[in-house]
């Protein structure tokens, strides 16, 4: 049994706390939020303690692991302190928006041998996972091309954009990690961006649509497309094209119903609205992988290094977007 | 080269005449219609002779085969006369609406050894044919259940209903033949009918919706459903369920386009509107089978006996519908 | 909060107990099974009491409701005793295999005004439910035809067949209830059965494949097909055809992955293996409907009468199968 | 009636000649090939004259139009001579492999006002066309992203690679034209290439896989992926993503059959093998557009300028591939 405290009781912290409460090998001990209303409500719902401070949580000998779901600017400090306190750590992505901070964090914690997982939920999606495992088992032969489609249903508020680190570090970062999961380390990055969705995003200095092309060390060609808006819902697809075949993972809908009328045939539901719904199974599986990893003393599927590498790719994409050149990575 | 005359220059005769004109081993020699305007137009379009009478056609030593696309009430007489004249015969379904006339026709022509094909186009549809051939090759093991969906896009005029012989003999007759093609001879028939579409059809003494259940001698359970209306187009599907698998043949659409919007996902085109479009390939293949059969002196895939058996099943369905009993066939 | 005891700790009782343990408005208090090993294990897993007898459960003033998941032959007695004890009742289908017992049970309990729900899980399947609700909202106009496909992945052991009441009462009973949910009360039933799957089932006096045709009082034509085996998994589909459109609810697969290779394109996963997986959401929603109904003092969506009517249709189908006649229901 | 001569009786010339023979407003007068065996065979099959020289064709006052299906290195000369001879011209893509030659050709012929069409068949594919027309009609709002998938079933012989001008000019050129058809003129091009399929292609100095990203003047982001091999057939897809919706045009299969078995569900046929089959309808429609354009004295849908622009994009892609920089076009 791994005993947890959840730091941050916003939308995603709440979801994680509920998953922890349900997991047979996890025990939720306490929750914390700087807004005590939020932590009190979650504590009451789940019948656990509302901690009054991070110090209290980190000092608690009954807490084995912390799940960090606070704002991005606190991640590095909390990871560092939790590692020093001997806790296992599951931290929401990204580690930070600044590569230097990520490196400094690693310099601090690497010797502490803490179990650290970064919450790249998509590796745990049953459909993406099945494609990965069938590919690894040889079903499509050598992977040659990878196409990742990742479009949000609608743009976030500008207040979020302002602290997001920009599209590549906030949104594409998931796709960078997914690309590495399938194709391994990346050696070339090229990126196009555009402002097609919301003029306010442009005014905020960010882009709202992108296309990224990459090449892996193993020669795989990778395409990622992003948009901050998709009229039909949260569009999350993946195409793995290999020498012997192709595997495509499609979207998820609430039902299997298809309608037929004078307007057309076989129309399905709109796709599930956003990440909480689409990746519900993935988030639960992510917790499972973390719990197993802590119990077995092994590195989780999405490690600190994975978090660092995804940010490195985001930075490279931004550089390519700004310079019009392919960025080569060592 | 088989030399043809087409009798009947209506919608379906015109379609056949054009297919004959295009077939490399067929030669269209003449066309005939009691409405000389129709035959003159077709003759002009295709550069062939407009015959002035059936006698002229049957006496023409340059005509090897006749394609009979006249009204149903003339079929038996034309088949008989053509057989006597030594012509090969491709006659549109049904042979007749009265089983006694069919038997009398056979008594007349059986000794003449004419090649006679009845135009059950669906056996030649590439998708239904592929299901049949894959089933025969063993892909799904022994066939256990067969589901045939056959719905017209909209009801015909009442003038047509009045001479149609009723839903079972006019519309379901295609499904009866298809059932026999997949499951062999039928030993039990049970039918439900209803008036769900058009009150005028009820007033005319006919039904406009039906469900038929049958059992083949080999034990296959068969379901047919019919409607004189389908909002989304001409609905023609088939499901062959066997011990090792299932094969489904779906509808055809004009394009492979799918649309995604706030209203739903993956909506395809409406299905092709009606038989001329849906079965365009089938009609061409039917001509091909007839030409080959005449050339090789063998029985076509859809023989006179097939025409007689389909009518027998239609009569059995009508009897079951009227009596509420299963009708057993010897 | 509705407090429950679960009677019967087999496969389906276990599943229900876990759902109850998870439901926010339900509280699982105790479980019972004549095999104390089973009830002890479930009690331990869920942290509840293992009752020693039905009497203990029914006498327990802290139990508001019982979920009956024992063998069919005990249902009537347990429903009756629980109703007398003032408990709300959620009983697995069927109420009984004998219509007279069902009627006698009702005569006993009707005056007691117990909340009684019969566990017809399919009405709660999100896809079937969506079709129902969209139909009710008018999307397809008047319902005209209903096609229900219901095929088990493989035959049960003969020991089960022997006490099942036969295919119509054991398996088709779900489809009869689903038909009533969509089309209302039924006035005509006709049934074909066959032995296509397992000779041992024939030896046991039962059939293993069936096709049933029905007509509702409102004129809807209904087709049900059943098989005790489907090579590709648990096949559960529904087609609602109306004057303005058609809605089809398809099967569920574990992932959205499609594979493309030299063998073919767009191949999906096999469908979910059996009812526990396919109807996982439905079982949870069923509990939800029961809890709400008890709390609000209203009749659940699947009432005692629904249980009785489904059995009446099963008996009618059996009679039709035996006599070759349409059975008319008043 | 437009009277044609076909120059070049190889695979694609033969296909065009048969389409011309079938078109109601076209008349095939003669065919020519330097291999007289090929032209004699085609002339015999279609009942037309086998011309003995290009001079003979161009001097023939009964020839209104020439269809040039000879090898690429002859295109410029034949276009120029035909234009001078006052013939309308339908020339297979590409105009040439060298932009200077294309410009010189235009300098020669622009004043002659010849009708010149370059055979970019894909604009005439019914599915791509439907996406285009529905987009133009506003169904998806403003186009934002365009994804073109274009993979050959297998690599051509090295002898072909050697004279092809390389992947971008030979294969991607179709996708460049399709991109312009949907998104208008292009202002930025970036390309990745790889050798993933056949080492002999690398040895010949060419690539066999590519990913291209482009931006149109109107801001559309465009992705193209190419491979010289696809195990499941000729993969030709297009995704048009707009502010209000998305339209996807998929592959074509020979039948609508889906198979279900223990191996998986809903497996369709492999896609149509290659361009002759996939684009059969498109080639016929292309002839139709040319015939209409000549008759009406208007520019065909795929003009000489379109041919030049597509080559310009191929050259830009090659430059980007070689330099690792975005290439900007004026």
């Amino acid at each position: 049994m791994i005993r947890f405290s959840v730091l941050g009781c916003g939308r995603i912290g709440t979801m994680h706390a509920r998953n922890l409460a349900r997991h047979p090998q996890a025990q939720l001990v306490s929750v914390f939020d700087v807004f005590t209303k939020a932590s009190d409500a979650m504590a009451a719902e789940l019948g656990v303690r509302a901690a009054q401070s991070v110090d209290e949580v980190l000092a608690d000998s009954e807490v084995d692991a912390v799940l960090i779901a606070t704002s991005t600017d606190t991640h590095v400090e909390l990871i560092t302190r939790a590692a020093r306190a001997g806790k296992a750590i599951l931290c929401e992505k990204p580690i930070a928006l600044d590569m230097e901070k990520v490196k400094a964090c690693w310099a601090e914690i690497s010797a502490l041998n803490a179990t650290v997982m970064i919450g790249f939920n998509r590796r745990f999606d049953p459909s993406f996972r099945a494609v990965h495992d069938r590919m690894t088992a040889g079903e499509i032969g050598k992977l040659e091309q990878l196409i990742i489609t990742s479009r949000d249903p609608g743009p976030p508020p500008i207040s979020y954009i302002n602290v997001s680190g920009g599209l590549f570090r906030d949104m594409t970062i998931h796709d960078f990690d997914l690309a590495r999961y399938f194709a391994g380390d990346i050696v070339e990055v090229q990126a196009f961006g555009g402002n097609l969705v919301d003029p306010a995003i442009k005014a905020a200095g960010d882009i709202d649509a992108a296309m990224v092309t990459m090449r892996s060390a193993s020669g795989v060609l990778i395409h990622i497309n992003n948009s901050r808006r998709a009229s039909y819902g949260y569009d999350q697809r993946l195409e793995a094209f290999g020498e012997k075949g192709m595997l495509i993972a499609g979207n998820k809908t609430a039902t299997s119903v298809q309608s037929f009328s004078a307007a057309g045939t076989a129309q399905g539901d709109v796709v599930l609205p956003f990440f909480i719904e689409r990746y519900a199974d993935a988030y639960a599986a992510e917790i499972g992988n973390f719990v197993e990893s802590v119990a077995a003393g092994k590195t989780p599927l999405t490690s600190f290094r994975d978090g660092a590498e995804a940010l490195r790719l985001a930075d490279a994409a931004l550089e390519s977007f700004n310079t019009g050149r392919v960025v080569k990575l060592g």
Side-chain angles (χ1 to χ4, degrees), chain A:
Chain A
M1 190 69 68
I2 312 297
R3 298 164 300 176
F4 281 82
S5 185
V6 167
L7 307 181
C9 299
R11 188 175 181 194
I12 204 159
T14 300
M15 187 265 304
H16 282 307
R18 287 177 183 148
N19 279 343
L20 286 169
R22 219 173 287 155
H23 193 286
Q25 269 82 53
Q27 185 188 348
L28 185 63
V29 170
S30 62
V31 296
F32 168 77
D33 200 296
V34 290
F35 300 100
T36 51
K37 256 193 181 172
S39 47
D40 286 350
M42 211 200 291
E45 177 189 324
L46 299 171
V48 301
R49 194 153 20 92
Q52 298 308 306
S53 68
V54 169
D55 285 332
E56 179 190 333
V57 168
L58 296 182
D60 187 344
S61 65
E62 298 202 333
V63 169
D64 304 313
V66 292
L67 191 155
I68 302 173
T70 54
S71 60
T72 296
D73 59 353
T74 65
H75 287 181
V76 162
E77 187 200 331
L78 291 176
I79 290 170
T80 309
R81 289 172 62 190
R84 283 187 194 142
K87 309 301 185 193
I89 298 154
L90 199 178
C91 181
E92 265 303 313
K93 67 91 212 172
I95 302 173
L97 300 176
D98 176 342
M99 197 64 192
E100 292 313 307
K101 286 189 186 156
V102 172
K103 286 180 183 167
C105 180
W106 186 243
E108 278 282 320
I109 68 167
S110 56
L112 300 171
N113 288 321
T115 299
V116 184
M117 184 186 209
I118 306 302
F120 287 120
N121 55 337
R122 295 181 200 186
R123 293 199 192 198
F124 299 98
D125 175 70
S127 294
F128 294 162
R129 189 95 189 236
V131 171
H132 180 272
D133 293 351
R134 290 166 68 172
M135 175 191 79
T136 306
E139 184 172 327
I140 60 169
K142 192 177 174 304
L143 180 67
E144 293 175 354
Q145 302 194 12
L146 184 71
I147 318 273
I148 297 172
T149 298
S150 173
R151 297 166 182 154
D152 283 355
I158 293 302
S159 58
Y160 178 87
I161 294 284
N162 286 334
V163 298
S164 70
L167 185 94
F168 293 125
R169 291 194 192 99
D170 175 60
M171 183 172 169
T172 326
I173 199 162
H174 276 296
D175 308 307
F176 289 129
D177 181 64
L178 203 56
R180 289 187 63 252
Y181 183 47
F182 278 84
D185 282 330
I186 302 298
V187 293
E188 293 184 66
V189 178
Q190 199 282 339
F192 269 42
N195 287 91
L196 302 171
V197 174
D198 185 350
I201 293 176
K202 186 175 189 179
D206 197 3
I207 53 175
D208 52 29
M211 285 194 173
V212 177
T213 314
M214 306 196 293
R215 190 196 310 271
S216 75
S218 59
V220 180
L221 297 177
I222 300 156
H223 164 73
I224 297 167
N225 64 67
N226 290 148
S227 173
R228 284 287 192 189
R229 176 188 57 206
S231 62
Y232 46 91
Y234 188 44
D235 191 359
Q236 300 282 298
R237 287 173 285 153
L238 182 146
E239 175 178 321
F241 173 81
E243 60 179 333
K244 293 183 193 160
M246 175 169 66
L247 291 166
I248 293 181
N251 285 309
K252 288 178 74 172
T253 52
T255 74
S256 63
V257 178
Q258 294 186 309
S259 74
F260 300 71
S261 72
T265 51
Q267 184 179 49
D269 293 351
V270 288
V271 296
L272 290 182
F274 211 4
F275 59 95
I276 296 286
E277 299 84 9
R278 161 60 194 251
Y279 290 119
D281 292 343
Y283 283 116
E286 181 186 305
I287 295 286
N289 182 270
F290 181 71
V291 167
E292 274 174 49
S293 301
V294 174
K298 58 176 191 170
T299 305
L301 181 61
T302 51
S303 67
F304 189 94
R305 181 177 171 247
D306 293 319
E309 289 296 318
L311 182 62
R312 198 156 75 110
L313 293 175
D315 286 351
L318 190 59
E319 182 188 338
S320 172
F321 170 61
N322 285 328
T323 63
R325 295 195 188 182
V326 169
V327 173
K328 310 225 172 196
L329 299 168

